[in-house]
Amino acid sequence: MTIKEQQDRIIEDFEVFGDWMEKYEYIIQLGKDLPLIDPQYKTDDNLIRGCQSKVWLHAELKDGKLVFTADSDAVITKGLVSLVVQVLSGHAPKDIAEADIYFIDAIGLTSHLSPTRSNGLLSMLKQIKLYAVAFQAKSMQN
Amino acid sequence: MGTATAQDILWPEVELIRNEFPILQQTVNGRPLVYLDNGATTQKPVSVIRSMQEYYTQYNSNVHRGVHTLSQQATSAYEAARHAVAAFIGAHHHEVVFTKGTTDAINLVANGFRKAILKEGDEIIISGMEHHSNIVPWQLICEEKGAKLKVVPVTDKGELDMDAFRSLLNGRVKLVSITWVSNTMGTVNPVKEIISLAHEQGIPVLLDAAQAAAHIPIKVHELDVDFLALSGHKLFGPTGIGILYGKESWLEKLPPYQGGGDMIKQVTFDKTTYADVPLKFEAGTPAICEAIGLGAAVAWVNKIGIHKIQAYEHQLTEYAVAALKQVEGIRFIGEARHRSGAISFLVGDTHPSDVGVLLDQQGIAVRTGHHCTQPLCDRFGIPGTVRASLAVYNITADIDKLVEGVRKAVTLLG
């Protein structure tokens, strides 16, 4: 599935929920289901520090695709992280770097999240794009 | 629209108080608002909102320098607010400096001590339950002057270790700066004893009264405290205004915080002489409207009566703690014998921010996180807490909704 298809799928998934409590239930479930990051990568270097909760994000290149694993100490944050990882993990660095991320707005997350939390989400997206650009540059050098 | 209409079991008249707060009459996320984040900021009664509107619509003008009518009206209102706050804390009006808030007031004192008092090897005492605003200013000046910051430890119950405090007092200590009420745990510190012990060794004391002002009667002369800081917005007044109380002798001794208009006696290019206290510390155009709003807030508290507020909140806190204790897996952070205002807790393994988000979905406003007391959270080995902080307009129904909301959140997160 392309990044665009992944986003459209998530938007469709969220359309079935009647209210935000149901959306949060779903996000919590995603958080619980997110495969844990390998403990060796749960380091300060991989930490995206927010005011409320912590997120660890690890990136590695496998067969030309950038694979992300992540974790958070808060389960709702972890669910949000899971959505981002679903959309962007397993794609070529170039595709990730150039991706137009619209699902967050489309499912109403931007307007519903507190600025702190949505800033955290944006920080994570920024970090993912930085990784993508860095891996892209590295592969071009090689 | 509309909040609880049933009379409160602890104080039926509280419904009249609630009616004075327009913001409480709304719904949030489809539910009647339950506002329990008063430690961060309190809501404003109509009398405060009206006083500020009157300033801008009827006599907006600068203070102290104008000869025209509006300026004189503004000056009178601004200085009347100073008198009102002074009376509220039992001070003389010239001992009250308007600041931007508690943080600004503490920084004013820290800056004065940096310039006029502190030398290498000196010590400043704070406590392990301080808000960052009563930690960082002292760290900054200690680093600069080669002085040491000494920290009074906090017990498992969330009280100050007074034996440790006594042992820290010595001839090198130049100031004790301690919070009256912990913003995270609601612990009320034994400030009379702290002041008395410090004074026995000639050490001045600054009290951070940000979390005390809306809950506890303050009489600075009776306490014999040297400095006291508070914020208007935590006392039903506007943001951007607060006060520093200082004993006149101390305010005389400390150099000006900032230079500018209205803080001078005379300026020449060779030398400037400064205005008398408190104007020496109020350079530039002050927050006039906000000061007037603070005056109105103090008048509003006086109308209710701070003793009555204290008694009611005591009952409400006891009700809240007892009700929250019924939640399975709850763990309180801070269980001091004397407490006020704030109740911090964690439930099972849930992260405080997750609980906070799900409470918000139910229209319940609490604070989550470290509450700008990271060292205190480190002391308890926690990422933060869920904090419900009360004000006089809260009712038992708010607490019942909180308990129900926490239970629902924990079920969803479980």
Side-chain angles (χ1 to χ4, degrees):
Chain A
M1 232 188 263
T2 64
I3 291 173
K4 187 179 178 308
E5 285 165 348
Q6 288 279 12
Q7 295 191 79
D8 291 342
R9 186 186 55 79
I10 289 172
I11 294 165
E12 208 174 301
D13 285 350
F14 270 77
E15 274 167 5
V16 303
F17 301 118
D19 63 23
W20 264 97
M21 216 55 180
E22 287 180 7
K23 289 183 186 180
Y24 272 114
E25 277 190 72
Y26 180 63
I27 292 168
I28 289 165
Q29 199 50 52
L30 288 175
K32 288 178 184 168
D33 294 344
L34 179 71
L36 289 179
I37 196 169
D38 189 323
Q40 65 169 314
Y41 299 128
K42 221 166 157 178
T43 59
D44 276 358
D45 286 347
N46 284 335
L47 187 62
I48 301 170
R49 211 177 284 270
C51 190
Q52 296 272 338
S53 54
K54 294 174 180 174
V55 173
W56 293 268
L57 178 73
H58 173 69
E60 73 187 293
L61 200 60
K62 282 182 184 166
D63 304 325
K65 310 278 187 195
L66 202 45
V67 175
F68 296 102
T69 49
D71 197 5
S72 172
D73 57 350
V75 74
I76 292 176
T77 310
K78 211 168 150 183
L80 298 172
V81 167
S82 170
L83 288 173
V84 175
V85 168
Q86 279 179 40
V87 168
L88 291 170
S89 187
H91 297 280
K94 183 175 181 295
D95 294 341
I96 296 170
E98 292 171 0
D100 170 26
I101 304 299
Y102 55 85
F103 82 98
I104 296 172
D105 270 342
I107 61 177
L109 264 178
T110 321
S111 58
H112 213 80
L113 289 177
S114 70
T116 323
R117 207 169 271 269
S118 92
N119 284 346
L121 203 56
L122 293 176
S123 299
M124 195 174 75
L125 277 172
K126 198 172 156 191
Q127 187 62 40
I128 285 177
K129 290 228 171 191
L130 281 174
Y131 276 131
V133 171
F135 277 105
Q136 201 184 350
K138 205 172 162 188
S139 63
M140 282 166 79
Q141 276 176 355
N142 293 340
Chain B
M1 298 291 274
T3 51
T5 50
Q7 291 189 320
D8 194 75
I9 57 169
L10 295 180
W11 189 20
E13 292 80 13
V14 74
E15 204 56 36
L16 298 173
I17 292 175
R18 290 174 68 79
N19 288 341
E20 294 188 58
F21 290 80
I23 207 166
L24 297 178
Q25 317 303 320
Q26 66 177 308
T27 56
V28 168
N29 292 324
R31 309 283 185 90
L33 170 65
V34 173
Y35 187 77
L36 293 167
D37 193 19
N38 298 287
T41 197
T42 52
Q43 301 303 342
K44 321 304 171 199
V46 280
S47 60
V48 168
I49 298 165
R50 199 180 300 129
S51 75
M52 296 176 75
Q53 189 182 20
E54 279 170 6
Y55 168 73
Y56 280 125
T57 54
Q58 294 173 29
Y59 60 100
N60 171 45
S61 200
N62 213 328
V63 292
H64 295 149
R65 285 150 290 190
V67 294
H68 59 84
T69 303
L70 295 192
S71 175
Q72 288 177 33
Q73 284 177 328
T75 305
S76 295
Y78 179 76
E79 290 303 330
R82 194 193 307 276
H83 279 76
V85 181
F88 183 69
I89 62 167
H92 299 304
H93 68 94
H94 59 270
E95 296 170 317
V96 170
V97 179
F98 280 125
T99 63
K100 287 190 286 184
T102 302
T103 302
D104 191 36
I106 294 172
N107 274 277
L108 189 161
V109 178
N111 187 64
F113 269 66
R114 177 177 69 82
K115 284 183 183 165
I117 311 286
L118 213 60
K119 294 184 184 65
E120 192 174 346
D122 285 345
E123 295 174 0
I124 301 273
I125 294 178
I126 60 169
S127 87
M129 65 173 79
E130 298 309 313
H131 187 277
H132 295 165
S133 58
N134 200 24
I135 300 173
V136 184
W138 307 114
Q139 273 178 336
L140 286 169
I141 67 165
C142 284
E143 277 169 20
E144 185 183 327
K145 305 296 284 192
K148 287 180 187 148
L149 196 61
K150 299 283 180 163
V151 183
V152 184
V154 173
T155 68
D156 291 343
K157 288 254 179 211
E159 295 174 328
L160 288 182
D161 180 340
M162 289 301 287
D163 289 334
F165 173 63
R166 282 185 201 92
S167 70
L168 288 175
L169 295 170
N170 64 62
R172 293 183 299 277
V173 178
K174 290 294 179 284
L175 183 75
V176 172
S177 186
I178 279 188
T179 193
W180 191 328
V181 175
S182 158
N183 71 316
T184 298
M185 305 180 292
T187 307
V188 179
N189 287 322
V191 293
K192 269 191 178 173
E193 191 185 351
I194 287 168
I195 294 163
S196 166
L197 288 167
H199 282 183
E200 276 172 20
Q201 304 209 30
I203 303 164
V205 176
L206 184 157
L207 285 182
D208 171 353
Q211 299 293 336
H215 311 286
I216 296 174
I218 300 174
K219 294 293 165 212
V220 286
H221 288 172
E222 280 176 27
L223 280 174
D224 196 27
V225 69
D226 302 272
F227 300 100
L228 179 137
L230 63 85
S231 293
H233 72 100
K234 295 190 200 291
L235 183 58
F236 312 105
T239 55
I241 190 77
I243 62 124
L244 170 70
Y245 157 80
K247 278 182 181 169
E248 190 174 359
S249 55
W250 271 111
L251 294 182
E252 297 284 2
K253 202 179 294 179
L254 297 186
Y257 183 27
Q258 296 170 320
D262 215 22
M263 51 76 75
I264 52 91
K265 211 165 250 170
Q266 191 180 15
V267 176
T268 69
F269 285 116
D270 295 327
K271 185 170 175 58
T272 293
T273 53
Y274 304 115
D276 294 334
V277 295
L279 295 186
K280 182 173 87 170
F281 296 106
E282 292 181 13
T285 297
I288 303 165
C289 181
E290 287 75 12
I292 291 167
L294 176 56
V298 163
W300 184 83
V301 173
N302 287 339
K303 186 184 81 176
I304 309 296
I306 189 75
H307 290 280
K308 204 168 189 176
I309 290 172
Q310 187 181 31
Y312 171 62
E313 287 184 4
H314 177 70
Q315 282 184 288
L316 193 63
T317 304
E318 286 199 336
Y319 181 91
V321 170
L324 283 164
K325 266 187 188 159
Q326 305 304 314
V327 177
E328 202 185 324
I330 199 160
R331 172 187 166 205
F332 292 102
I333 306 299
E335 293 183 274
R337 278 162 298 171
H338 302 288
R339 59 189 302 166
S340 171
I343 303 165
S344 264
F345 59 89
L346 293 165
V347 189
D349 295 331
T350 57
H351 193 283
S353 84
D354 288 332
V355 177
V357 167
L358 296 175
L359 286 176
D360 175 55
Q361 287 305 306
Q362 301 170 71
I364 303 164
V366 294
R367 187 67 151 222
T368 60
H370 53 58
H371 318 297
C372 295
T373 58
Q374 277 184 322
L376 182 70
C377 290
D378 291 345
R379 151 76 179 81
F380 285 102
I382 52 173
T385 72
V386 180
R387 181 189 73 179
S389 49
L390 313 176
V392 63
Y393 43 64
N394 287 125
I395 51 179
T396 50
D398 291 341
I399 306 300
D400 296 343
K401 285 177 187 166
L402 170 69
V403 171
E404 190 191 325
V406 169
R407 280 205 175 106
K408 187 166 185 184
V410 172
T411 305
L412 283 171
L413 292 165

